[in-house]
Amino acid sequence: MKILSPFGPKLGKIKIPIKIISLINKEVDKIIKNKSKTKKSDYSKKVVGQVYQEIQISKKFINKNLKKFIQNNIYNYLKKTTNIRPNKFLIKNLWVVRQFKNEYNPVHFHNGLVSAVGYLKVPKNLTKSKKKIKTNGTIDFISGTKTSLSNSIHNHVPKTGDMIIFPNNLMHTAYPFNVDGERRSFSFNLDLDDKTKKILND
């Protein structure tokens, strides 16, 4: 794991194993091929994305396929950023975002205590633009205001397999893009035990 410190809040960047990417993509593809499963898994009303589809992933699937992967990386992130190992953690929610041409995710923050975004599919030429600064399809993390010798925005160009871990209250936004194809990502929020939260907040 690489720890990024573009400003106060620290970001953790890792590569998702191909096996995990494949498992989530297969689960999503299975859901979207079934109308009743698609309706049951619809998560769009609970989040702010102006996107084609947002799909909640079941706790059963998370516990079987993702919990250990998430736990190991969250514990590693917390150890490297705070030197604290939590006693317990709870995955509050995990959902997949299917974003297509001209869609976007406005500036927002998450609930819980720690959040993450991981990329499962990224269209070719995602950042294609007539402008010199290419933000199309990218994600900005935003903290505070611009001051001398201090950045307030950290931009990340998504690549399949990237996962960024960050504090839940760090504002961020995903920009629209103008090429064909699906930008598929997942996000999750988790909470920690009260004792650990007290230490972190003191």
Side-chain angles (χ1 to χ4, degrees):
M1 178 184 293
K2 183 178 180 181
I3 299 298
L4 307 177
S5 301
F7 33 63
K10 291 180 171 62
L11 310 180
K13 181 183 176 185
I14 68 159
K15 275 294 179 183
I16 308 166
I18 293 173
K19 182 181 177 182
I20 297 289
I21 295 171
S22 179
L23 280 169
I24 303 174
N25 277 330
K26 283 180 181 178
E27 178 69 6
V28 172
D29 291 340
K30 186 171 73 174
I31 290 170
I32 62 181
K33 286 177 182 176
N34 185 306
K35 285 186 178 181
S36 62
K37 283 184 178 179
T38 299
K39 187 175 181 180
K40 185 179 178 182
S41 303
D42 180 26
Y43 203 62
S44 58
K45 292 180 180 178
K46 296 184 180 181
V47 284
V48 298
Q50 303 296 310
V51 298
Y52 174 74
Q53 191 174 48
E54 293 178 287
I55 299 168
Q56 184 172 26
I57 302 301
S58 71
K59 287 183 180 179
K60 182 179 178 181
F61 179 88
I62 294 168
N63 289 335
K64 182 180 178 182
N65 301 292
L66 305 178
K67 188 174 182 179
K68 188 175 180 181
F69 163 74
I70 291 172
Q71 177 178 288
N72 289 343
N73 282 288
I74 293 300
Y75 281 10
N76 193 17
Y77 168 74
L78 290 171
K79 182 179 180 182
K80 289 189 173 190
T81 57
T82 66
N83 203 30
I84 291 172
R85 180 181 174 85
N87 296 315
K88 293 179 183 177
F89 87 108
L90 169 70
I91 301 172
K92 294 170 67 70
N93 44 26
L94 188 152
W95 68 101
V96 168
V97 179
R98 302 186 66 211
Q99 182 181 349
F100 294 89
K101 186 189 288 189
N102 299 323
E103 298 178 339
Y104 67 97
N105 221 319
V107 175
H108 64 287
F109 52 85
H110 290 194
N111 59 21
L113 193 70
V114 183
S115 300
V117 57
Y119 297 94
L120 304 167
K121 287 185 182 183
V122 176
K124 289 182 180 180
N125 302 313
L126 178 70
T127 61
K128 183 179 177 182
S129 171
K130 295 177 182 178
K131 300 286 187 178
K132 187 177 180 180
I133 298 175
K134 299 183 183 300
T135 55
N136 287 358
T138 67
I139 183 170
D140 269 354
F141 294 94
I142 308 156
S143 178
T145 57
K146 178 74 175 85
T147 59
S148 179
L149 302 178
S150 176
N151 291 323
S152 60
I153 296 174
H154 174 69
N155 179 262
H156 177 73
V157 180
K159 293 180 177 62
T160 301
D162 286 351
M163 188 168 92
I164 307 291
I165 304 170
F166 55 94
N168 73 292
N169 55 7
L170 180 61
M171 292 187 294
H172 53 287
T173 182
Y175 291 107
F177 53 90
N178 57 21
V179 297
D180 293 327
E182 179 183 355
R183 178 188 186 271
R184 182 182 292 184
S185 62
F186 68 88
S187 292
F188 64 78
N189 300 316
L190 60 84
D191 211 346
L192 304 175
D193 61 277
D194 291 340
K195 184 178 179 180
T196 302
K197 284 196 289 187
K198 188 176 186 305
I199 294 170
L200 291 172
N201 291 326
D202 281 350

